[in-house]
Amino acid sequence: MKAILSFSLRKFTIFALVLCANYFIMPLSVVDSNSSLAIFIFLMPLLTLLTCFIYGCTSRSTPLFPFFSTVLFALSVLCYFQNQQTGMILVFAMLSFAGYGSGRLLRVFIQKEQE
């Protein structure tokens, strides 16, 4: 329990701001159907995966970050879309957990190699 609570708030805030920009500001840049396809299908999931992966690789990260990422995306779905996109919420949740998990796994392998 102590490991979950001992995380860097500064790192968490920086990565959370990147995700906020990804979920709330990037949809505002959509001008036509081609750009929306590129943003919603390629850029937003890629940035989510990379952000969670990099946060997972950092020391003193918390496993609550993928949950926070999922909640942020669910809030952006409520703000920007007419209907409930529960399928996309599940996709972004899986991307967040996969990115964070692979980052933590890489961090564990690196620590074992250094010892």
Side-chain angles (χ1 to χ4, degrees):
M1 185 67 160
K2 184 179 178 184
I4 291 175
L5 296 176
S6 67
F7 68 96
S8 174
L9 187 61
R10 184 171 17 126
K11 287 180 188 175
F12 187 88
T13 305
I14 290 170
F15 283 99
L17 287 175
V18 170
L19 285 178
C20 283
N22 183 29
Y23 297 148
F24 292 102
I25 295 174
M26 197 173 296
L28 294 176
S29 65
V30 172
V31 287
D32 61 351
S33 62
N34 290 335
S35 67
S36 69
L37 194 65
I39 288 172
F40 292 126
I41 302 296
F42 181 68
L43 290 177
M44 285 178 68
L46 182 65
L47 189 60
T48 300
L49 184 69
L50 288 176
T51 303
C52 290
F53 175 77
I54 293 169
Y55 182 76
C57 286
T58 62
S59 62
R60 296 183 62 203
S61 63
T62 178
L64 298 175
F65 190 74
F67 291 109
F68 185 74
S69 172
T70 305
V71 168
L72 277 178
F73 182 73
L75 290 174
S76 73
V77 165
L78 291 174
C79 291
Y80 289 116
F81 301 110
Q82 304 285 339
N83 54 356
Q84 298 293 327
Q85 298 287 332
T86 54
M88 287 305 290
I89 293 172
L90 292 176
V91 167
F92 273 81
M94 287 189 300
L95 284 172
S96 298
F97 281 99
Y100 180 78
S102 59
R104 289 306 302 163
L105 191 63
L106 182 65
R107 178 79 180 170
V108 167
F109 285 144
I110 290 173
Q111 284 178 344
K112 283 184 180 179
E113 288 293 324
Q114 288 177 350
E115 291 177 355

